[in-house]
Amino acid sequence: GGNKTMEKNESIQNGRIISRREMIVGAGALAVGAAVARLGLTDAVAKELPAKDPYVKLDPEDIGERAYQSWYKGFCSYAVADAILGTLQDRVGEPYTALPILNMSKWGYGGGVGWGTMCGCLIGTGIVTGVIAGQEGEAIFNEVIHWYSENELPAYKPKNPKLPGYTPVRTKSDSPLCHVSTNRWTKKSGFAKPTPQRKDRCARLVAETAMQTAMQLNDWADGKFKKKHEFQLAIFGTTTQSNCMDCHGTNVPKVPR
C-alpha cells in the first residue's frame, strides 16, 4: 500500500504500469498510425502492417566502423549511441527516428563533460541498452562494463583509420572510469597530451565497445544472453568498485559486507 517512487523506465497508462520498452513499441505504433492517416490508407491495409519488435540484429563490424568514424564527430558517448541507435534509425525508422541522438548522448564525453567519471563509451552503452532493452538492459550493461574493465584494449583495427600505419598499445583498465583507463594508457604509451595518437586510441576503444554492446544485444534478441556477473550493489551492499586501492591507498572507504 501507499505511493512508491517508480523506476525511471516505467510509466502509468490507464492505471497500468508499463515499461519503457512498451512505450517505445507504442511510439512506433502511433507513428505508423499517423503515417496511415496521412496517406489515406484503408483499415485493411493498416492491419497488414507487421507488429514486430523494434530491435533488429546488427552486424558488429559495421557498428564498429560507424562508431570509430562517429567519435571524430561527437566523441565517445555519442559515437556508441549513434553507431547503434543511428543504424536502427536507418534500418527500422520509427520509433528510433524520434530520438535526438546527439543531444541525448554527447554530454557523456570525457566521463561526463570531461569530469573523468565513467568512460563515455560506457555511458553511451548505458543509454543504448536502456532504450532498447529497458530494465533487462541493466544486466547487459553490467556485462559490457566487466568486459571493458577486464580486457587488454583496444584491439580494434578500423577499415578506414585516421592515422594509417599507427597501432595504439593495449592496456587493461581494471576500472570503468575514464580517468583511470586513459591514464593507464597514457603512462604505457607516452602520449599524455590529447595527441592524434591518443584520440585515435579513444576512437578505437569506442568502436570495440560499440561492437561488444551490439553482440550482447544480438544475443539478447536471440534469447541467448546470460548474465555472468552480479551487480556491484548485490555483492558489496553499496555502490562501489572492487579495486579501491588503486586510487585510495590506505584511505579506502569502508564497505559493508
Side-chain angles (χ1 to χ4, degrees):
N3 295 325
K4 295 183 178 180
T5 301
M6 297 176 61
E7 295 292 333
K8 289 183 179 180
N9 67 338
E10 294 181 339
S11 183
I12 296 180
Q13 189 175 87
N14 297 327
R16 185 176 70 87
I17 295 178
I18 62 172
S19 68
R20 180 162 182 78
R21 181 173 179 76
E22 288 178 295
M23 285 190 279
I24 290 175
V25 174
L30 288 173
V32 170
V36 168
R38 287 198 304 271
L39 296 173
L41 300 180
T42 65
D43 289 342
V45 174
K47 289 177 181 178
E48 293 178 3
L49 294 174
K52 63 180 181 180
D53 192 305
Y55 178 75
V56 296
K57 290 171 63 177
L58 304 172
D59 183 339
E61 292 294 332
D62 291 343
I63 294 301
E65 185 64 20
R66 178 162 177 166
Y68 175 81
Q69 299 298 334
S70 291
W71 185 93
Y72 287 92
K73 300 175 184 177
F75 308 119
C76 40
S77 182
Y78 163 75
V80 173
D82 175 69
I84 295 178
L85 297 178
T87 298
L88 290 171
Q89 286 183 339
D90 297 339
R91 291 187 56 188
V92 178
E94 290 289 350
Y96 297 106
T97 48
L99 297 173
I101 295 177
L102 181 64
N103 289 341
M104 67 188 277
S105 64
K106 186 177 180 293
W107 59 269
Y109 69 87
V113 292
W115 273 77
T117 58
M118 176 168 281
C119 181
C121 62
L122 292 176
I123 292 175
T125 291
I127 292 171
V128 166
T129 53
V131 167
I132 293 172
Q135 188 168 346
E136 294 177 76
E138 294 182 11
I140 300 172
F141 184 28
N142 191 51
E143 294 302 321
V144 177
I145 294 174
H146 274 277
W147 167 86
Y148 174 100
S149 303
E150 297 165 4
N151 285 278
E152 296 271 343
L153 302 171
Y156 177 73
K157 296 180 180 181
K159 296 177 182 177
N160 299 293
K162 296 291 185 180
L163 295 178
Y166 172 68
T167 300
V169 298
R170 296 163 62 179
T171 53
K172 180 180 177 182
S173 67
D174 269 329
S175 170
L177 298 181
C178 171
H179 72 279
V180 175
S181 175
T182 301
N183 289 338
R184 286 195 194 283
W185 185 84
T186 56
K187 183 177 180 179
K188 185 174 181 179
S189 69
F191 295 110
K193 296 181 179 180
T195 59
Q197 291 84 357
R198 178 173 153 183
K199 292 177 181 178
D200 196 64
R201 175 261 180 180
C202 286
R204 293 182 187 224
L205 179 62
V206 164
E208 204 161 353
T209 302
M211 292 174 67
Q212 181 64 209
T213 303
M215 288 188 285
Q216 295 280 11
L217 285 169
N218 287 347
D219 284 347
W220 169 77
D222 284 337
K224 297 178 181 178
F225 171 78
K226 293 183 179 180
K227 185 174 74 171
K228 298 178 182 178
H229 300 89
E230 191 53 78
F231 294 112
Q232 295 290 88
L233 186 61
I235 297 172
F236 296 102
T238 189
T239 53
T240 186
Q241 293 189 64
S242 55
N243 59 342
C244 304
M245 293 295 290
D246 283 3
C247 294
H248 294 284
T250 57
N251 296 315
V252 180
K254 292 187 180 300
V255 177
R257 289 284 184 178

